[in-house]
């Protein structure tokens, strides 16, 4: 019998903190597997994006969060927090999104083992 793993099953999950320390509507910089990631909470859901604007050297964890998007603090371009997709100029490329989950009250971010 053969079993196949989904892409999420082969990711390395990294603990980044207590779920209660990530209140709704904010962003927090964390490091998971050596990668700087901005973690965002929207309601009961947590999301992770590479903590670097695709347009320049700005940390998205320092950006303004509103209506499911984060605004780059330097360029005012918007990224969708759920997908990393860029929403407006001057951005021309998305940022990488990372899976985030909560296990036993702890936030975990998945990073590909490269």
């Amino acid at each position: 019998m053969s079993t196949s793993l989904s892409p999420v099953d082969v990711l390395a999950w990294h603990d980044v903190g207590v779920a209660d320390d990530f209140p709704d509507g904010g962003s927090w910089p964390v490091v998971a597997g050596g990668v700087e990631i901005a973690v965002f909470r929207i309601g009961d859901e947590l999301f992770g994006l590479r903590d670097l604007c695709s347009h320049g050297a700005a940390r998205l964890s320092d950006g303004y969060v509103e209506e499911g998007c984060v605004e780059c603090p330097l360029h005012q371009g918007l990224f969708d927090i759920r997908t990393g997709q860029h929403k407006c100029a001057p951005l021309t490329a998305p940022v990488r999104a990372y899976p985030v989950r909560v296990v036993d009250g702890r936030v975990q971010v998945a990073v590909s083992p490269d």
Side-chain angles (χ1 to χ4, degrees):
M1 180 169 105
S2 170
T3 60
S4 60
L5 296 174
S6 76
V8 173
D9 293 329
V10 296
L11 295 174
W13 291 93
H14 301 272
D15 185 286
V16 295
V18 177
D20 290 342
D21 291 342
F22 295 82
D24 191 15
S27 62
W28 297 266
V30 301
V31 176
V35 178
E36 292 182 356
I37 297 171
V39 174
F40 302 89
R41 180 186 288 270
I42 301 174
D44 292 334
E45 296 182 280
L46 291 162
F47 302 92
L49 297 178
R50 178 72 191 256
D51 197 10
L52 184 64
C53 177
S54 61
H55 181 255
R59 293 174 54 107
L60 296 180
S61 60
D62 292 333
Y64 179 70
V65 177
E66 185 175 27
E67 297 181 12
C69 290
V70 59
E71 180 181 84
C72 173
L74 294 181
H75 311 109
Q76 290 71 51
L78 296 173
F79 292 98
D80 185 307
I81 289 171
R82 291 172 177 86
T83 65
Q85 186 60 43
H86 60 290
K87 306 295 270 179
C88 65
L91 305 175
T92 60
V95 292
R96 183 165 178 189
Y98 294 88
V100 180
R101 68 183 183 186
V102 177
V103 176
D104 296 328
R106 303 285 303 178
V107 176
Q108 298 177 346
V109 178
V111 178
S112 300
D114 293 332

